[in-house]
Amino acid sequence: MTSTRRALPALLVASTAGLALTGCAAPAPEAEATGLSIVASTNVYGDIAAAIAGDAATVTSIIDSPTIDPHSYEASAQDQLLISTADLVIENGGGYDPFVDVLVEGSGTEAVVLSAVVVGGLLEEGEDAHAHSEDEAHSEEEAHSEEEAHSEDDGHGHLEGTNEHVWYDIHLMGDVAAAIAAELSALDADNAATFEQNLAAFEEDLEELEALLEETAAALGGGVVATTEPVPAYLLAELGLDDETPAEFTEAIEEGSDVPPLALQQVLDLIGSGEVRLLAYNEQTASPETERVRAAAEEAGIPVVSFVETLPEGEDYLSWMRANIEAVEAALTA
């Protein structure tokens, strides 16, 4: 099985009462829409779902713009309404998009919930990713108010010790696509053949990307890179590049917490070591510290390649990943 439902503490579920006052509302599906209803946490998974579902489903992505920081997203009442009427909900999981879990519990939806980190084997089915984060421990303290619990739940409490940004793992996204096709076929057996055909076409394109990864890795010849956050880590590793950025720095940036001065200095020392071939920069979590690192890289003549966490306008998942690969190659072969 690839689907999962998370059992959240009552305090987290209760926080949905304030959803109407927060968030950037996702567009509601057309009233005349027919077929299955799919809701994805971000447009990355929404795009993959649309490629598999075709015209047999309406797909809505809660976060659908690169200007929205998924780390700090606060869900809305409209998001909860979308979840409540969905047939299939797709999340990244691993603490990356915990607002989905809150919406699922608060809405009482009967939707199948598919988690990419469960598909990828980073979590077991039914395992609660929140149990791995500090945010969960804090939210369970009775001394915390409902408002505080809500704000903590919307934080980016990632799966400790694991990089949950699995959409940058092209191979794993093939597994996610297959899981989506299986779930849709179970929900709508009449269109199962269509889902399988769409999956086959997606997998064929994915194989071309995998071949491009191998060719590019061979051409680049490895080397050291630095990152402001581990978002593109899976892709960089597939390209044969070693990220030597201190974890204390990237974790602080990822969590939106204060960067330890020593960690910042270690990154600057790494940038100045002459070993770094490229700085991977997450545009959606910029801060004074990341800007300082970027300036140091530019001063040292190190190319900076920007990465984001959601689909850029006009791109689909496949074209976006191809563009990322080509951007790295261009930066290192210029």
Side-chain angles (χ1 to χ4, degrees), residues 82-286:
L82 286 169
I83 294 286
S84 70
T85 58
D87 298 295
L88 175 64
V89 174
I90 306 171
E91 66 174 355
N92 184 83
Y96 178 78
D97 39 16
F99 61 86
V100 174
D101 297 308
V102 175
L103 292 171
V104 166
E105 294 295 326
S107 68
T109 183
E110 294 299 319
V112 174
V113 181
L114 191 152
S115 168
V117 298
V118 172
V119 173
L122 301 184
L123 279 178
E124 295 296 326
E125 183 176 353
E127 188 176 354
D128 188 357
H130 295 279
H132 296 266
S133 69
E134 290 185 357
D135 287 343
E136 175 65 18
H138 292 313
S139 68
E140 290 179 342
E141 293 179 9
E142 294 183 355
H144 282 224
S145 66
E146 181 176 315
E147 179 181 359
E148 185 174 359
H150 174 56
S151 66
E152 287 183 357
D153 176 69
D154 285 333
H156 192 56
H158 71 105
L159 184 62
E160 186 176 354
T162 303
N163 182 3
E164 73 274 19
H165 306 96
V166 294
W167 63 92
Y168 269 99
D169 184 334
I170 291 174
H171 313 297
L172 194 152
M173 288 303 100
D175 296 334
V176 169
I180 292 172
E183 297 291 3
L184 292 179
S185 295
L187 290 165
D188 182 4
D190 290 342
N191 284 303
T194 298
F195 301 143
E196 288 302 317
Q197 289 171 2
N198 292 342
L199 173 63
F202 183 84
E203 289 176 333
E204 183 177 346
D205 291 337
L206 209 60
E207 288 175 1
E208 293 181 5
L209 267 185
E210 291 170 336
L212 177 62
L213 266 176
E214 293 181 6
E215 294 169 4
T216 306
L220 295 180
V224 174
V225 297
T227 62
T228 58
E229 193 179 350
V231 170
Y234 290 109
L235 188 69
L236 295 174
E238 286 287 342
L239 289 170
L241 301 168
D242 297 320
D243 180 11
E244 294 190 3
T245 314
E248 293 79 5
F249 178 85
T250 55
E251 288 176 0
I253 297 300
E254 185 178 15
E255 297 291 347
S257 58
D258 293 336
V259 177
L262 177 59
L264 174 59
Q265 188 57 53
Q266 288 173 334
V267 177
L268 295 174
D269 290 343
L270 177 64
I271 293 294
S273 68
E275 297 180 2
V276 175
R277 297 187 63 189
L278 175 147
L279 172 66
Y281 192 89
N282 183 358
E283 295 285 354
Q284 284 170 274
T285 55

